Amino acid sequence: MKKLKLGVIGVGGIAQNRHIPAFKKLDHLVEIIGVQDINYELSEKVASEFNITNVFEEYNEMFKQVDAVVICTPNKFHAEISIAALNAGVHVFCEKPMAMNRKECDAMIEAANRSGKLLAIGYHYRFTDAAITAHRAIEEGVVGDALVTRVQALRRRKVPGWGVFTNKELQGGGSLIDYGCHLLDLAMWLQKDAQPVEVLGKTYNRLSKTPNQINDWGTFDYETFEVDDHVSSFITFEDGSTMQFECSWSANIKDDKIHLSMSGVDGGLNVYPFEIYQPRFGTFFNEQAYAEHNEDNAAQRQSLNFVNSCLGLEDLVVKPEEARRVSSLIDAIYQSSEEGRSVRIES
């Protein structure tokens, strides 16, 4: 079988620690032929470390030599590079979030449709055992019609003190667009066809703008901190169901917390840890199963899904239209907070 020729654009931490190692493990299916980054010296270092042959000065130089690219740049450049690659007839895997906003997502999808090439988005939480088990349980009717979904993606003191994570111009936001988006995507995936219609949101950054903060993930300048470090929101769906959503980089809580649960007409489900709650035989059943949240395994499965989809062997797990819906919700939460009112979402 002919190997998929792959290029990597942006070789910072997420490329070095997740994507390049994951695709390297699929060397029977894919060959990473080159890398490109605005920091050419870093590109050379990464190419040498991972035994990659080519280093490109400009990302469009690699398009004629690859079948697909992996985009790991700051969010501001996701749409620009994805569209350029798709227009050149190249499949695209783009790190999350899909883009800075819904409008950019629309342009990316239009380019993918025109080119006939694949556009995948890196929401790897879907590929964990916990998420897969929850999805199967919901498909089999454990929850029934969903009523309330509760989501928390909370870190106690983990503002990323490296890269450009706190730069609003390059990233578009903070804890929501960087971290909360993972749980938001997962919750929407588990809710299947639920259509959000109204969002009430509030963002905060007072904690990170206070001097002398304790932070477990490096240092940052509190005086120039300009993105959200904590977000809460309430989302209403067309079918009348609701979602309570909260995320944070920096919260005064006991421990980091990741939570996703659903309460429905026929039962309830908790993802972390995986549990099912159902009334049966005149009593209430609580069932548990071992289904871990291993992000390394998830990254490997995600890479395999992209490669096999490019080779025509399976379908993408994360569709670009689904990732666009997440970006629409992020837009609405930010808009709601800025305007101090609930925001209606157009279908």
Side-chain angles (χ1 to χ4, degrees):
M1 179 186 294
K2 180 182 176 182
K3 290 185 179 181
L4 188 78
K5 293 182 179 180
L6 190 70
V8 179
I9 301 172
V11 293
I14 198 69
Q16 296 176 47
N17 299 323
R18 177 173 297 154
H19 297 301
I20 294 177
F23 284 109
K24 277 286 186 179
K25 290 179 182 178
L26 302 174
D27 58 3
H28 60 296
L29 295 173
V30 62
E31 176 187 5
I32 302 177
I33 65 97
V35 296
Q36 187 274 333
D37 193 280
I38 192 171
N39 184 338
Y40 190 80
E41 290 183 0
L42 179 62
S43 296
E44 290 184 312
K45 178 179 179 293
V46 170
S48 175
E49 180 181 348
F50 289 98
N51 195 29
I52 297 170
T53 304
N54 300 299
V55 178
F56 297 92
E57 290 192 11
E58 303 292 337
Y59 62 76
N60 53 18
E61 293 174 357
M62 71 168 58
F63 293 158
K64 292 184 179 180
Q65 301 187 40
V66 299
D67 303 305
V69 292
V70 178
I71 299 172
C72 303
T73 66
N75 301 340
K76 181 178 180 178
F77 307 107
H78 285 185
E80 170 193 320
I81 300 173
S82 294
I83 292 169
L86 292 164
N87 288 342
V90 174
H91 298 297
V92 170
F93 175 94
C94 181
E95 247 301 332
K96 62 77 195 166
M98 185 171 176
M100 296 280 274
N101 52 56
R102 163 68 184 264
K103 184 177 179 180
E104 290 185 352
C105 294
D106 288 340
M108 292 166 70
I109 292 173
E110 289 174 7
N113 290 339
R114 284 196 309 268
S115 68
K117 297 300 178 179
L118 295 180
L119 173 59
I121 309 300
Y123 282 118
H124 68 281
Y125 278 29
R126 293 196 194 185
F127 294 86
T128 64
D129 288 343
I132 293 168
T133 304
H135 193 264
R136 289 173 177 170
I138 290 169
E139 287 288 308
E140 292 186 17
V142 165
V143 173
D145 292 336
L147 298 174
V148 179
T149 299
R150 306 168 193 85
V151 183
Q152 288 183 305
L154 304 177
R155 292 171 177 162
R156 187 168 70 168
R157 282 294 191 281
K158 290 185 173 67
V159 175
W162 62 88
V164 296
F165 286 97
T166 61
N167 185 316
K168 188 172 183 179
E169 180 184 357
L170 294 178
Q171 292 295 93
S175 61
L176 173 58
I177 203 167
D178 168 63
Y179 175 43
C181 66
H182 275 304
L183 272 295
L184 195 54
D185 172 75
L186 182 54
M188 293 298 295
W189 185 52
L190 295 181
Q191 288 190 238
K192 299 184 289 183
D193 298 322
Q195 296 298 320
V197 294
E198 188 173 20
V199 173
L200 179 63
K202 180 65 179 176
T203 68
Y204 307 86
N205 67 5
R206 184 174 174 182
L207 200 62
S208 295
K209 291 183 74 66
T210 304
N212 304 316
Q213 283 298 307
I214 299 169
N215 193 56
D216 294 336
W217 282 4
T219 60
F220 62 93
D221 186 351
Y222 75 93
E223 291 184 315
T224 61
F225 191 91
E226 57 182 354
V227 296
D228 52 282
D229 64 10
H230 201 126
V231 173
S232 63
S233 66
F234 187 81
I235 302 167
T236 302
F237 296 88
E238 192 174 47
D239 61 4
S241 64
T242 59
M243 182 191 301
Q244 302 167 11
F245 173 83
E246 183 184 17
C247 68
S248 182
W249 276 342
S250 190
N252 283 320
I253 54 177
K254 182 179 179 180
D255 295 298
D256 294 354
K257 183 176 184 179
I258 178 173
H259 175 86
L260 200 169
S261 64
M262 297 177 67
S263 295
V265 174
D266 297 327
L269 178 148
N270 189 72
V271 181
Y272 311 110
F274 185 82
E275 297 175 338
I276 290 172
Y277 320 112
Q278 282 188 315
R280 298 181 198 163
F281 317 121
T283 187
F284 207 76
F285 277 65
N286 297 335
E287 300 176 282
Q288 297 178 321
Y290 180 73
E292 65 178 356
H293 178 80
N294 186 311
E295 294 191 41
D296 291 333
N297 289 345
Q300 198 61 55
R301 290 169 178 165
Q302 175 180 250
S303 299
L304 181 60
N305 175 246
F306 178 64
V307 171
N308 280 341
S309 296
C310 290
L311 296 174
L313 302 176
E314 58 184 91
D315 295 328
L316 290 174
V317 170
V318 182
K319 307 291 194 300
E321 293 81 8
E322 295 169 336
R324 174 180 59 188
R325 186 168 57 177
V326 175
S327 291
S328 295
L329 283 172
I330 292 171
D331 286 353
I333 292 170
Y334 283 144
Q335 181 185 350
S336 175
S337 181
E338 182 177 341
E339 297 180 0
R341 63 176 182 86
S342 63
V343 171
R344 299 289 296 182
I345 295 181
E346 301 295 333
S347 60

